[in-house]
Amino acid sequence: MPGASIVADDDDGYVPSDADDFMNERQLGYFENLLLEWKRAILSEASGTLSNLQEGPIREADQNDRASSETDWGIELRTRDRQRKLIGKIDAALRRIKDGEYGYCEVTGDPISLGRLRARPIATMTVEAQERHERREKISRDD
């Protein structure tokens, strides 16, 4: 999770491993906690941005300072928009956990590696399927 410092270990330090049955109850709980913590962190950051926006307009007298502040706000708002979309993906992953589909590639049905899921818990495809998808996408863009 780029930019996130989320840790979702159980009290005993559990981290899913390949020695476990794939997507057993404990692994599902681990990933559900990871996703919920990530979502909470995003929402907390968003509420801080909202509070800052509600404080009022940018009041720098100097035009250069004002332009710099407006640019910073534009970047901040684009970041929040990306995070808003990310929350939708987190919610979809949580639904897949409840539906028993989490951890399996939506293209091939194969298990997604635990390493990939720990790095990107919203992943819906194996690395191989994702690479094929991106190659097809690039080819169609180049046409």
Side-chain angles (χ1 to χ4, degrees), residues 22 96 101-117 120-136:
F22 188 72
R96 287 193 305 279
E101 299 170 359
Y102 184 80
Y104 295 92
C105 181
E106 67 182 13
V107 175
T108 65
D110 294 334
I112 300 171
S113 75
L114 292 173
R116 177 163 170 75
L117 289 171
R120 185 148 179 86
I122 58 172
T124 60
M125 291 185 251
T126 63
V127 170
E128 296 80 13
Q130 183 71 43
E131 288 172 346
R132 282 191 304 273
H133 172 75
E134 288 173 3
R135 276 194 300 274
R136 281 192 303 271

Side-chain angles (χ1 to χ4, degrees), residues 61-96:
D62 182 72
Q63 286 183 343
N64 291 329
D65 289 343
R66 183 179 184 95
S68 178
S69 292
E70 288 174 355
T71 299
D72 291 346
W73 274 114
I75 292 168
E76 180 75 16
L77 291 173
R78 281 193 301 279
T79 299
R80 294 297 160 243
D81 187 52
R82 280 193 301 276
Q83 288 180 334
R84 178 187 55 80
K85 293 173 185 172
L86 184 56
I87 286 176
K89 292 179 180 184
I90 291 170
D91 288 340
L94 291 167
R95 276 191 301 279
R96 287 193 305 279

